[in-house]
Amino acid sequence: MYKSLIMTAFSAAILLRGADAQDLMDLSLEDLLAIEVTSVAKKPQRVDEAAAAVAVITQEDIRKIGATTVPELLRYVPGVEVGEIDGTSSAVSARGFNYRYANKLLVLIDGRALYQSTQSGVLWDQVMFPVEDIDRIEIIRGPGATLYGANAVNGVINIVTKHAADTLGSLVAAQTGVTTTADQFFGRFAARQGIRLSDNGAMRLYVTGKDVPALVGSDEEPVNSGAQSIQAGFRVDLEPNDKDSFTLQGDIRQLDFDVTLEFTTPVGPFGSLVFEDEEIDEGYNILGRWTHSFSDDNQLSVQTYIDDSHRTEFGASFDYTSFDLDISQFIRWGERYETVWGFGYRTVDDKVVGEDVLTYTVEEFYAELYNGYVQQDIHFADKRLRFSLGSKFEHNDFTGFEIQPSARAIWVGEKDWSVWGAVSRAVRTPSRLETSINFDLGTVPPIPELGLFLPLQSALVGSQTLDAEDLLAFEAGWRKSWDQKFELDIAAYYNDYRELVALIQLDPELITAPIGPGGAEVPVTIEQNLGVDNAREGEVYGIEASALWRVTDQWELRLVGDLKDTWFSEVPTAVGISQVFQGLSPNYQWNIRSDYQLTPELLTVTTLRGVGELEGSPTEGYTDLDFRLAYRPRPQMEFSLIGENLLEAGRREFNSIIYPAPYSEVERKVSATMTLRF
């Protein structure tokens, strides 16, 4: 399929015509510190004035790195953990608890939440829009529940796409490449057209597609056929006057992917079942937003969206529809006080129909969530000392009423430095995966020498009585820049978790059946199920750092890294899968990125990355190297050669845990890319 994708891109390059797009400019250190983010406080705020561990991936970062997916870009942020599981699924989290259904990280695209309670997390293969349309990615490590509510526990990632007026003209991007172990081809294309509707309005249309290779198994052969995807979308921005702005945007997608699963189940007398199937994921979303400025000190925003998806996986069908309404207002009261307040309403309607391996005990589910929040900022000492107090008040159909407060403070020094601290509470509500799952774990035949004289049947079953997981977080940080040449950002944290969901062994039950004359009931099997309960406590503490050094006008070095340690209480559980809900995380990560402008047209980007072993799993740590050579003869034209995972032919990045995929490895990749603007 990749050949057809590339041909489509080149055809679009011939057909599309428009005005030249604005060239991306390098950002100085001063520019980086002055970048305004909105995710920390739901108002424009400079990075160096935010009392939180915040990082920003800029347009220029995206262009230089050359990554084509959001998870690949997130590898460059301290404290964010990324691991490929198989050809179509990724595990992404912050500050621990990482697995495919990482449930403590809230991800947004222009304010639209990607978290799905049906499967408890973000399905990253659904995030398919072109990276060329991203304005910036704001990453908050640490709780964001005061403004964003339940499930914004360990962090918030807000992907902000470009205003339609910033994407006028035409763009075509294409990539083709090959893996070096299994010789799998892969490709990507994106085509975009920006149109000026009026002096105060603009629109863009886009289409993008990918051919994704499968990861390879221990025999260096692909475990399946990978995935093929296509997505199209639009965005319209209107500013009819200097008080109002309107945004309407939407996407529609289609993903075809292969799944290979391995189960220990009866096959004949006993054996392993390998399950292979072709699956689909399709859906759409549409978002509308109105912003009104009563004055420079008083802005109101109203946003609503609907998100609908249909997915097949594990022999089950998942249908999910959510509706969300959010109203927020920012008010500045004189020189000292600023208030952000708002309220929201959200509905979730889903249906899970399964058979064989996976079923949900409650197939259809409808839930409502109501929330209100307020955050008050107070400034002292000519705005150098700032306090922020606030709380979210939320009612949900899982655990009832929840309060999630926070207190933050920052001191901004006179010589390009700041120090900040925060105390926050956040909760994670149970998901449908945990309350309704019925997952067949297989049957063990009789083993008389171990005292097992009947078959042992086991399943993972959910619980309708789960409470919310609870986090109390303590954070502190320090930022400093020296003479616009060097910048350092350090953050430390201690997270205290209570009521963590864990696997527990349920009481065994003897299953009988009528056998023989008269139908006498006799034992035929033992049922030993696993359940879930709020049975675990935990602590995670660590330190994160990022540094930027402008060595010369042509050479920049960026270093990011994090260290952490964890403790979790013991609970009665099943050997081998005790970390299903705890997840898997390395205790250290680091990467060094070198951006060297050889000539005005020629750029090299070299990244050396190290990741520690995943504790409690057979996945070892690794060190690897990525390299990109980019040639830009004109601002509207760029070609590049990319080598990924160059130090090893293949490496295992993650264990699937509850997702029983075969162990597989990420291959070395070589690719060529082209980006044209008209």
Side-chain angles (χ1 to χ4, degrees):
M1 179 179 175
Y2 81 99
K3 293 182 180 179
S4 63
L5 298 182
I6 301 302
M7 290 302 297
T8 302
F10 279 101
S11 299
I14 297 173
L15 295 173
L16 294 177
R17 291 292 184 267
D20 288 349
Q22 183 179 0
D23 185 22
L24 294 173
M25 302 299 292
D26 290 336
L27 293 174
S28 68
L29 284 173
E30 185 177 8
D31 294 331
L32 288 170
L33 285 173
I35 290 175
E36 285 193 339
V37 296
T38 57
S39 301
V40 179
K42 283 197 173 182
K43 63 179 181 180
Q45 188 177 36
R46 288 167 52 114
V47 170
D48 58 340
E49 296 175 353
V54 58
V56 180
I57 300 174
T58 66
Q59 297 179 42
E60 188 67 9
D61 289 326
I62 295 169
R63 185 187 73 82
K64 287 182 176 180
I65 293 169
T68 59
T69 68
V70 174
E72 289 173 354
L73 291 168
L74 295 176
R75 292 181 188 271
Y76 293 83
V77 179
V80 177
E81 302 156 18
V82 179
E84 287 194 58
I85 301 174
D86 60 25
T88 59
S89 57
S90 299
V92 180
S93 186
R95 296 181 175 178
F97 295 91
N98 198 20
Y99 74 122
R100 188 185 190 230
Y101 299 117
N103 51 34
K104 296 177 177 60
L105 179 68
L106 184 66
V107 182
L108 308 149
I109 299 179
D110 293 324
R112 175 174 63 88
L114 303 185
Y115 182 93
Q116 288 194 6
S117 60
T118 308
Q119 291 158 296
S120 183
V122 175
L123 299 175
W124 287 97
D125 55 11
Q126 295 180 347
V127 185
M128 297 190 292
F129 65 94
V131 294
E132 291 83 1
D133 287 351
I134 298 176
D135 179 71
R136 64 190 184 276
I137 304 176
E138 302 175 2
I139 303 101
I140 306 168
R141 291 109 56 200
T146 295
L147 295 179
Y148 294 97
N151 308 318
V153 177
N154 281 12
V156 177
I157 295 175
N158 189 16
I159 304 164
V160 182
T161 63
K162 295 177 181 177
H163 191 284
D166 295 330
T167 55
L168 297 178
S170 306
L171 176 143
V172 173
Q175 178 186 34
T176 183
V178 64
T179 65
T180 62
T181 301
D183 296 326
Q184 300 184 84
F185 289 97
F186 60 93
R188 167 187 178 264
F189 81 88
R192 182 183 75 206
Q193 179 66 57
I195 304 168
R196 173 66 72 180
L197 299 178
S198 66
D199 291 341
N200 301 310
M203 176 178 69
R204 72 164 170 265
L205 306 170
Y206 80 86
V207 61
T208 184
K210 288 183 182 180
D211 194 352
V212 180
L215 272 66
V216 299
S218 56
D219 58 356
E220 297 187 350
E221 293 294 329
V223 297
N224 51 49
S225 299
Q228 295 78 41
S229 66
I230 188 166
Q231 178 168 301
F234 74 96
R235 173 165 172 162
V236 177
D237 288 292
L238 302 173
E239 289 87 24
N241 53 60
D242 59 0
K243 299 290 186 180
D244 297 286
S245 64
F246 299 89
T247 296
L248 181 67
Q249 61 191 86
D251 311 280
I252 185 170
R253 69 176 185 276
Q254 171 76 45
L255 170 67
D256 299 302
F257 61 101
D258 283 357
V259 168
T260 301
L261 308 176
E262 291 183 341
F263 300 94
T264 302
T265 56
V267 178
F270 180 68
S272 293
L273 171 65
V274 177
F275 174 79
E276 298 184 7
D277 203 0
E278 296 181 356
E279 310 287 6
I280 63 169
D281 181 289
E282 56 191 12
Y284 71 89
N285 67 81
I286 188 164
L287 177 148
R289 181 171 53 251
W290 168 54
T291 302
H292 179 76
S293 295
F294 297 98
S295 68
D296 291 341
D297 298 327
N298 189 340
Q299 288 94 37
L300 175 70
S301 177
V302 180
Q303 176 177 283
T304 185
Y305 66 82
I306 186 170
D307 197 335
D308 184 89
S309 69
H310 169 74
R311 187 181 184 94
T312 62
E313 201 167 7
F314 307 112
S317 173
F318 300 85
D319 289 284
Y320 177 89
T321 303
S322 66
F323 168 80
D324 188 275
L325 172 66
D326 182 82
I327 300 175
S328 63
Q329 186 174 18
F330 163 66
I331 304 174
R332 181 181 292 112
W333 312 86
E335 295 296 322
R336 181 167 293 184
Y337 303 102
E338 294 178 352
T339 303
V340 175
W341 73 276
F343 59 90
Y345 171 71
R346 181 180 177 86
T347 66
V348 173
D349 190 358
D350 72 15
K351 182 178 181 180
V352 182
V353 179
E355 56 186 39
D356 300 328
V357 174
L358 173 68
T359 61
Y360 273 34
T361 55
V362 178
E363 286 190 351
E364 297 187 49
F365 182 77
Y366 177 82
E368 293 182 307
L369 183 147
Y370 308 86
N371 70 75
Y373 59 89
V374 61
Q375 181 165 289
Q376 180 67 52
D377 290 2
I378 308 173
H379 302 161
F380 298 96
D382 196 24
K383 293 189 177 182
R384 294 192 176 277
L385 177 61
R386 310 173 186 203
F387 293 96
S388 179
L389 303 172
S391 184
K392 173 80 88 172
F393 306 92
E394 191 170 70
H395 182 275
N396 66 82
D397 286 348
F398 288 98
T399 62
F401 186 68
E402 303 286 354
I403 301 176
Q404 299 173 84
S406 70
R408 299 179 179 273
I410 185 170
W411 173 266
V412 180
E414 295 183 356
K415 296 184 178 180
D416 298 324
W417 66 273
S418 62
V419 60
W420 61 271
V423 180
S424 311
R425 179 180 185 260
V427 302
R428 184 189 73 84
T429 56
S431 68
R432 290 265 282 131
L433 180 74
E434 295 153 316
T435 60
S436 301
I437 189 172
N438 191 332
F439 195 90
D440 184 9
L441 298 175
T443 302
V444 177
I447 309 175
E449 56 270 26
L450 297 180
L452 183 62
F453 298 98
L454 292 173
L456 181 67
Q457 177 181 320
S458 184
L460 172 59
V461 297
S463 170
Q464 296 289 325
T465 61
L466 291 175
D467 293 326
E469 295 184 331
D470 193 314
L471 166 66
L472 183 61
F474 302 86
E475 303 174 87
W478 177 71
R479 302 184 184 99
K480 171 69 176 173
S481 65
W482 288 267
D483 298 326
Q484 306 305 315
K485 289 290 185 180
F486 189 81
E487 177 191 346
L488 183 62
D489 190 338
I490 299 175
Y493 62 92
Y494 168 74
N495 289 349
D496 185 11
Y497 298 90
R498 303 296 172 95
E499 303 294 334
L500 289 175
V501 172
L503 287 179
I504 60 171
Q505 289 182 340
L506 302 179
D507 294 334
E509 183 178 350
L510 196 62
I511 306 300
T512 63
I515 297 179
E521 295 283 337
V522 298
V524 294
T525 187
I526 301 172
E527 186 177 82
Q528 174 66 77
N529 290 336
L530 300 177
V532 293
D533 195 10
N534 300 100
R536 174 168 275 177
E537 299 177 356
E539 298 176 357
V540 180
Y541 45 92
I543 187 169
E544 303 157 346
S546 62
L548 170 60
W549 179 22
R550 189 181 292 275
V551 185
T552 68
D553 290 342
Q554 294 77 36
W555 186 21
E556 289 183 351
L557 284 176
R558 299 168 185 261
L559 171 65
V560 303
D562 57 82
L563 290 168
K564 70 171 176 296
D565 202 358
T566 61
W567 169 85
F568 293 97
S569 61
E570 296 294 331
V571 295
T573 188
V575 176
I577 55 173
S578 61
Q579 291 177 298
V580 165
F581 297 108
Q582 177 184 323
L584 299 170
S585 294
N587 57 12
Y588 73 85
Q589 298 182 117
W590 58 267
N591 76 62
I592 302 173
R593 177 179 132 204
S594 169
D595 301 342
Y596 195 88
Q597 196 76 47
L598 294 172
T599 70
E601 298 82 19
L602 204 59
L603 170 71
T604 64
V605 180
T606 308
T607 303
L608 186 66
R609 178 184 300 108
V611 179
E613 67 176 344
L614 302 184
E615 296 186 67
S617 82
T619 301
E620 299 179 350
Y622 65 86
T623 301
D624 223 327
L625 179 71
D626 296 340
F627 178 78
R628 179 172 182 262
L629 175 65
Y631 176 57
R632 201 176 189 189
R634 297 178 59 191
Q636 297 82 17
M637 181 183 300
E638 184 171 274
F639 305 92
S640 65
L641 295 175
I642 301 174
E644 301 174 74
N645 316 319
L646 296 178
L647 298 185
E648 299 180 86
R651 66 164 185 264
R652 183 185 302 173
E653 285 193 358
F654 209 79
N655 289 65
S656 57
I657 315 181
I658 197 173
Y659 182 76
Y663 288 136
S664 51
E665 295 184 344
V666 181
E667 293 184 80
R668 181 184 294 130
K669 299 178 183 178
V670 179
S671 63
T673 69
M674 172 202 73
T675 303
L676 301 176
R677 293 177 173 85
F678 301 91

